Amino acid sequence: MIRITSAKEGFRRAGVAHPRTPTEYPDDKFSAEELKVLQAEPMLVVETVENPEASKTKAGTKTKDK
């Protein structure tokens, strides 16, 4: 997953108006070339994040054998 945060609300790159709030996109949303352009843009913070569903653990799911 790709998370993008813009320094300026509505700043446009790769055909998308990026908000100031962190916004997540699927890995295949942008081409390799678009991703390079986004990562090189100083107005944007581009992060690659792990899928939150894959790393989510449920509290209280472990049981203790008696």
Side-chain angles (χ1 to χ4, degrees), residues 1-2 5-7 16 23 25 28-30 34 36 41 45 47 51 54 62:
M1 185 170 298
I2 301 163
T5 308
S6 178
V16 176
T23 304
Y25 301 93
D28 62 351
K29 167 72 175 167
F30 302 103
E34 287 172 324
K36 286 180 187 177
E41 175 54 61
V45 175
E47 304 169 275
N51 183 344
K62 291 184 179 180

Side-chain angles (χ1 to χ4, degrees), residues 6-66:
S6 178
K8 180 181 175 188
E9 185 67 37
F11 181 78
R12 295 188 66 84
R13 273 299 173 269
V16 176
H18 299 280
R20 291 187 74 172
T21 56
T23 304
E24 294 179 347
Y25 301 93
D27 290 331
D28 62 351
K29 167 72 175 167
F30 302 103
S31 69
E33 186 60 33
E34 287 172 324
L35 195 53
K36 286 180 187 177
V37 169
L38 291 167
Q39 290 170 328
E41 175 54 61
M43 291 289 289
L44 301 174
V45 175
V46 180
E47 304 169 275
T48 301
V49 293
E50 188 176 316
N51 183 344
E53 292 301 314
S55 64
K56 191 183 287 184
T57 59
K58 295 181 182 177
T61 57
K62 291 184 179 180
T63 58
K64 194 174 191 178
D65 291 338
K66 292 184 179 184

